[in-house]
Amino acid sequence: MPAQIPVILFGYNSSPFTNKVRLALRLKQIPYDYVPVPSMMPRPVLRDTFGITYRKIPILAIGRDVYCDTSVIIEALEGLFPGTRSLYPDAVGCEGQRLRVLCRGFASYWTDRPLFRVATGLIPSSVWRTRFGTDRAGLIGHRLDPDKLDRKVSENLLALDTQLSILMPLFRGVRDGDADNARWIFNTPYPTLADLSLYYQLSWLRSISKGVGIENLTGGGTPDTRAEGADAVFNSERFPEMYDWFTRLEQWMESQPDVEERLRQDDLTWTDRLQSLEWSGDFAAAEKSLLVTPQAAKLKDLESKCGLVVGEEVTVAPDDTGREDPTYGTMLSLSPEEVVILPKRLRDKKSRETDATVAVRVHFPRAGFVVRPLKWTQPKAKL
């Protein structure tokens, strides 16, 4: 990846997943621009610049390829910047590519989902009484009752204790010692994606459960507070080895040079840099942009039965929350792990189709997302 290719992260400070990507960028020492966006829709800078209406954050642009969802963002950083520190170093008794599978599974199917769900249950009820609560009810698909959620905080603290108790055996023996590789979860010379993934969730839930960051989260809807939060469960007495690891990782990250250039929301000079880059929206270019080369022949017959044909208009949506707000576009390429689309032209307030400022390829992971042909999702006309 040429050094001059812009790397631009779109997110907001109280987003735990934004901070996950920030940690990965800092660990890998990849310089990037950070563009703050609202915690709620609409996000005109993403819609108008790229034609993207995807609701979740963060989004990462690497040149004219845009990556949605941290699982594919992490793999883009790992695959496109080979000269940087790997998120999957060789471990004692486990080489890096095997460790990659463990770390990805640990992140995607533990910290990013069940642990995150527990963490959201610790958010102060004042948050759900703001416009943010209404917005997230739309994302989730049902009404959020602030009083009921407030009563469930104690229950969710116990659920957090369960999660940490299950994880605790990972930290037995992970203490300060002579060998650096005894300091991290999988006995590696420095932190891996697994370390970052657990750290960012614990860091976020400690803050957000106290009410720190809720003003940013709600777009000014409620002020920050200083409650006890999750300290009653996650502390140095109840989980000493894990707490030592957490503190050590915090110090390690702070020792790494800062690689973030924070831009103002009204600073759009980055769009000029993207527009100046060579662009090709054809299928061959999209195929080359895939992060993982398929290890076996494509299952074209099965893909065809599912309507997943290159050039087809498709919808892409998460399989959990946000299903009612799919992204529309032309499918440019498909692999077992990734789908690449050209965003569909959007309509302005007068229902006129408009082009995005910067033409891009948009990458989504296959795991955790549903890709369907647009013609299958449109309601049939009544006879």
Side-chain angles (χ1 to χ4, degrees), residues 119 122 153 156-157 160-161 164 201-202 204-211 227-235 238-239 243:
L122 304 178
V153 168
N156 285 316
L157 283 169
L160 173 62
D161 188 69
L164 300 187
Q201 283 288 359
L202 290 176
W204 182 73
L205 71 84
R206 288 183 78 206
S207 296
I208 210 72
S209 64
K210 296 174 183 177
E228 182 186 22
D231 286 354
V233 172
F234 182 50
N235 57 63
R238 185 159 183 79
F239 296 103
Y243 198 86

Coordinates of all heavy atoms in Angstrom, one line a residue, residues 119 122 153 156-157 160-161 164 201-202 204-211 227-235 238-239 243:
A119 N -22.6 -4.9 28.0 CA -22.1 -3.5 28.2 C -23.2 -2.5 28.0 O -23.3 -1.5 28.7 CB -20.9 -3.2 27.4
L122 N -25.5 -1.4 30.7 CA -25.0 -0.6 31.8 C -25.1 0.9 31.5 O -24.7 1.7 32.3 CB -23.6 -1.0 32.1 CG -23.3 -2.5 32.4 CD1 -21.8 -2.8 32.6 CD2 -24.1 -3.0 33.6
V153 N -30.1 -2.7 35.4 CA -28.7 -2.5 35.5 C -28.0 -3.5 36.4 O -27.0 -4.0 36.1 CB -28.4 -1.0 35.9 CG1 -26.9 -0.9 36.3 CG2 -28.8 -0.1 34.8
N156 N -27.6 -6.7 34.8 CA -26.6 -6.7 33.8 C -25.2 -6.6 34.4 O -24.2 -7.1 33.8 CB -26.8 -5.5 32.8 CG -27.9 -5.7 31.9 OD1 -28.1 -6.8 31.3 ND2 -28.8 -4.8 31.7
L157 N -25.1 -6.1 35.6 CA -23.8 -6.1 36.3 C -23.4 -7.6 36.7 O -22.3 -8.0 36.6 CB -23.8 -5.3 37.5 CG -23.7 -3.7 37.3 CD1 -24.0 -3.0 38.6 CD2 -22.3 -3.4 36.8
L160 N -22.3 -9.2 33.6 CA -20.9 -8.8 33.3 C -19.9 -9.7 34.1 O -18.9 -10.2 33.6 CB -20.6 -7.3 33.6 CG -19.2 -6.9 33.6 CD1 -18.6 -7.0 32.2 CD2 -19.1 -5.4 34.0
D161 N -20.3 -9.9 35.4 CA -19.5 -10.7 36.2 C -19.4 -12.2 35.7 O -18.3 -12.8 35.7 CB -20.1 -10.8 37.6 CG -19.2 -11.5 38.6 OD1 -18.1 -10.9 39.0 OD2 -19.5 -12.6 39.1
L164 N -16.9 -12.0 32.7 CA -15.5 -11.9 33.1 C -15.0 -13.2 33.8 O -13.8 -13.6 33.7 CB -15.3 -10.7 34.0 CG -15.7 -9.3 33.4 CD1 -15.3 -8.2 34.4 CD2 -15.0 -9.1 32.0
Q201 N -13.7 -3.0 24.9 CA -15.0 -3.2 25.5 C -14.9 -2.9 27.0 O -15.8 -2.2 27.5 CB -15.5 -4.6 25.3 CG -16.0 -4.9 23.9 CD -17.3 -4.2 23.6 OE1 -17.9 -3.5 24.4 NE2 -17.8 -4.4 22.4
L202 N -13.9 -3.3 27.7 CA -13.8 -3.0 29.1 C -13.6 -1.6 29.4 O -14.2 -1.0 30.3 CB -12.7 -3.9 29.7 CG -12.9 -5.4 29.8 CD1 -11.6 -6.0 30.3 CD2 -14.1 -5.7 30.7
W204 N -14.6 0.9 27.4 CA -15.8 1.6 27.1 C -16.9 1.4 28.2 O -17.5 2.3 28.7 CB -16.4 1.2 25.8 CG -17.6 1.9 25.4 CD1 -17.7 3.2 25.0 CD2 -18.9 1.4 25.4 NE1 -19.0 3.5 24.7 CE2 -19.8 2.4 24.9 CE3 -19.5 0.1 25.7 CZ2 -21.2 2.2 24.8 CZ3 -20.8 -0.1 25.6 CH2 -21.7 1.0 25.1
L205 N -17.1 0.1 28.7 CA -18.1 -0.1 29.6 C -17.8 0.5 31.0 O -18.7 0.9 31.7 CB -18.4 -1.6 29.7 CG -17.4 -2.6 30.4 CD1 -17.6 -2.6 31.9 CD2 -17.6 -4.0 29.8
R206 N -16.5 0.6 31.3 CA -16.1 1.3 32.6 C -16.6 2.8 32.5 O -17.1 3.3 33.5 CB -14.6 1.2 32.8 CG -14.1 -0.2 33.2 CD -12.6 -0.1 33.5 NE -12.4 0.4 34.8 CZ -11.2 1.1 35.1 NH1 -10.3 1.2 34.2 NH2 -11.0 1.5 36.3
S207 N -16.3 3.4 31.4 CA -16.6 4.8 31.2 C -18.1 5.1 31.1 O -18.7 5.9 31.8 CB -15.9 5.4 30.0 OG -14.5 5.3 30.2
I208 N -18.7 4.3 30.2 CA -20.1 4.6 29.8 C -21.1 4.3 31.0 O -22.1 4.9 31.2 CB -20.5 3.9 28.5 CG1 -21.6 4.7 27.8 CG2 -21.0 2.5 28.8 CD1 -21.1 6.0 27.1
S209 N -20.7 3.2 31.8 CA -21.6 2.9 32.9 C -21.5 3.9 34.0 O -22.5 4.0 34.8 CB -21.1 1.5 33.5 OG -19.8 1.6 34.0
K210 N -20.5 4.7 34.0 CA -20.4 5.8 35.0 C -21.1 7.1 34.5 O -21.3 8.1 35.2 CB -18.9 6.2 35.3 CG -18.2 5.0 36.0 CD -16.7 5.4 36.1 CE -15.9 4.2 36.7 NZ -14.5 4.5 36.8
G211 N -21.4 7.1 33.2 CA -22.0 8.3 32.6 C -20.9 9.2 31.9 O -21.3 10.3 31.5
A227 N -21.0 8.3 38.1 CA -21.5 7.2 39.0 C -20.5 6.1 39.2 O -19.4 6.2 38.6 CB -22.8 6.6 38.3
E228 N -20.8 5.2 40.0 CA -19.9 4.1 40.3 C -19.7 3.2 39.1 O -18.6 2.7 38.8 CB -20.4 3.2 41.5 CG -19.4 2.1 41.9 CD -19.9 1.2 43.0 OE1 -21.2 1.1 43.1 OE2 -19.1 0.5 43.6
G229 N -20.8 3.0 38.4 CA -20.7 2.2 37.2 C -20.3 0.7 37.4 O -20.7 0.1 38.4
A230 N -19.4 0.2 36.5 CA -19.1 -1.2 36.6 C -17.9 -1.5 37.5 O -17.5 -2.6 37.6 CB -18.7 -1.6 35.2
D231 N -17.4 -0.5 38.2 CA -16.3 -0.7 39.2 C -16.6 -1.7 40.3 O -15.7 -2.3 40.8 CB -15.9 0.6 39.8 CG -15.1 1.5 38.8 OD1 -14.8 1.1 37.7 OD2 -14.8 2.7 39.2
A232 N -17.9 -1.8 40.6 CA -18.3 -2.8 41.6 C -18.0 -4.2 41.2 O -17.8 -5.1 42.0 CB -19.8 -2.7 41.9
V233 N -17.9 -4.5 39.9 CA -17.6 -5.8 39.4 C -16.2 -5.9 38.8 O -15.4 -6.8 39.2 CB -18.6 -6.2 38.2 CG1 -18.2 -7.5 37.6 CG2 -20.0 -6.3 38.8
F234 N -15.8 -5.0 37.9 CA -14.5 -5.1 37.4 C -13.5 -4.2 38.2 O -13.5 -3.0 38.0 CB -14.5 -4.6 35.9 CG -13.1 -4.7 35.2 CD1 -12.4 -5.9 35.3 CD2 -12.6 -3.7 34.5 CE1 -11.1 -6.0 34.7 CE2 -11.4 -3.8 33.9 CZ -10.6 -4.9 34.0
N235 N -12.7 -4.9 39.0 CA -11.8 -4.2 39.9 C -10.6 -5.1 40.2 O -10.6 -6.3 39.9 CB -12.5 -3.7 41.2 CG -13.1 -4.8 42.0 OD1 -12.4 -5.7 42.4 ND2 -14.5 -4.7 42.1
R238 N -11.5 -8.2 42.7 CA -12.3 -9.4 42.2 C -11.6 -10.1 41.0 O -11.7 -11.3 40.9 CB -13.7 -8.9 41.8 CG -14.6 -10.0 41.4 CD -16.1 -9.6 41.5 NE -16.9 -10.8 41.2 CZ -17.2 -11.7 42.0 NH1 -16.7 -11.7 43.2 NH2 -18.0 -12.7 41.7
F239 N -11.0 -9.4 40.1 CA -10.3 -9.9 39.0 C -8.9 -9.4 38.9 O -8.5 -8.6 38.0 CB -11.1 -9.6 37.7 CG -12.5 -10.2 37.6 CD1 -13.6 -9.5 37.9 CD2 -12.6 -11.6 37.4 CE1 -14.8 -10.0 37.8 CE2 -13.9 -12.1 37.3 CZ -15.0 -11.4 37.6
Y243 N -7.3 -7.4 35.8 CA -7.1 -5.9 36.0 C -5.7 -5.5 35.7 O -5.4 -4.4 35.2 CB -7.5 -5.6 37.4 CG -7.8 -4.1 37.6 CD1 -9.1 -3.6 37.3 CD2 -6.8 -3.3 38.1 CE1 -9.3 -2.2 37.5 CE2 -7.1 -1.9 38.2 CZ -8.3 -1.4 38.0 OH -8.6 -0.1 38.1

